[in-house]
Amino acid sequence: MTMAPLPGAELIQKPLQLYRYLLRCCRQLPEENIRQHYRHAIRQSFKVHEDEDSPERIQQIIKRAVEDADWVMNKYKKQK
């Protein structure tokens, strides 16, 4: 089992909660250009999925986004 990059990942149930969580994760990244890149990617992903209305699909997206955030956070943590 992987550890979440920030506390509270297991409480995320709604897209807006996920959005806020991912932006908080971005603040932990080491350089401004990296933070800008991931903030842009987060916004784009939310625009792509804003029409999603299936609760099962939304939960899949949330789970995958948290896993991806964990991977990104660990990637930059190792580079320090």
Side-chain angles (χ1 to χ4, degrees):
M1 184 173 183
T2 61
M3 265 182 69
L6 289 177
E10 66 281 354
L11 302 175
I12 297 170
Q13 296 295 316
K14 297 180 181 178
L16 184 57
Q17 293 171 323
L18 175 64
Y19 187 74
R20 290 176 180 158
Y21 173 81
L22 295 174
L23 291 178
R24 283 194 307 270
C25 287
C26 278
R27 289 190 216 133
Q28 306 293 317
L29 296 172
E31 297 174 24
E32 183 58 29
N33 63 337
I34 296 169
R35 290 190 292 270
Q36 285 178 353
H37 169 79
Y38 284 106
R39 277 194 304 263
H40 178 74
I42 291 165
R43 288 184 186 113
Q44 291 301 106
S45 182
F46 271 79
K47 287 178 185 176
V48 166
H49 295 293
E50 70 185 346
D51 303 358
E52 195 61 61
D53 56 359
S54 164
E56 295 84 18
R57 179 69 179 128
I58 291 170
Q59 289 307 309
Q60 287 175 343
I61 293 168
I62 289 172
K63 183 177 184 296
R64 178 60 190 264
V66 170
E67 290 170 357
D68 289 349
D70 185 37
W71 181 86
V72 168
M73 298 298 287
N74 285 329
K75 172 183 169 183
Y76 287 103
K77 197 179 297 181
K78 291 175 186 174
Q79 289 182 0
K80 284 186 177 180

